[in-house]
Amino acid sequence: MYYRLKDNIILRGWDKLPYALVNTETGNVKFVDSEAMTALEMCDGSIDFAMPFIPDNINKHITAAEQSVFIEPCRPGQGLNENSEI
């Protein structure tokens, strides 16, 4: 299964708050830990999370992010912009 960030979600970080997701429609910010940020950075449509070498802890964060509507399934190579291809 391939995933991408939803169009209204961007990854950001600031001094002393390095891991955050920002909803560009609402301005809401959700802070995450470094492991969750690593998982979210992988959601660019180029990684198949069904592959057996993806660690369980990364898949746990992917499941949580999908349930929290930060990411969505996509076609392989769909990329971060719905109209773009990798």
Side-chain angles (χ1 to χ4, degrees):
M1 177 76 67
Y2 293 81
Y3 290 96
R4 63 191 283 284
L5 291 173
K6 289 202 167 189
D7 288 335
N8 64 319
I9 301 296
I10 56 176
L11 303 178
R12 291 291 183 262
W14 299 274
D15 289 337
K16 300 185 183 182
L17 297 170
Y19 312 114
L21 294 95
V22 177
N23 183 324
T24 59
E25 293 173 355
T26 65
N28 290 340
V29 177
K30 174 163 176 60
F31 295 100
V32 297
D33 62 24
S34 63
E35 192 173 86
M37 183 61 98
T38 297
L40 291 165
E41 288 171 341
M42 296 169 70
C43 294
D44 63 359
S46 66
I47 296 174
D48 183 357
F49 286 92
M51 298 299 288
F53 57 81
I54 302 292
D56 289 340
N57 58 331
I58 295 294
N59 277 322
K60 174 187 75 162
H61 288 292
I62 295 301
T63 300
E66 184 176 21
Q67 291 171 350
S68 297
V69 298
F70 298 128
I71 62 173
E72 61 189 1
C74 67
R75 296 181 323 273
Q78 188 173 356
L80 296 178
N81 181 328
E82 192 167 317
N83 297 319
S84 70
E85 295 288 330
I86 293 176

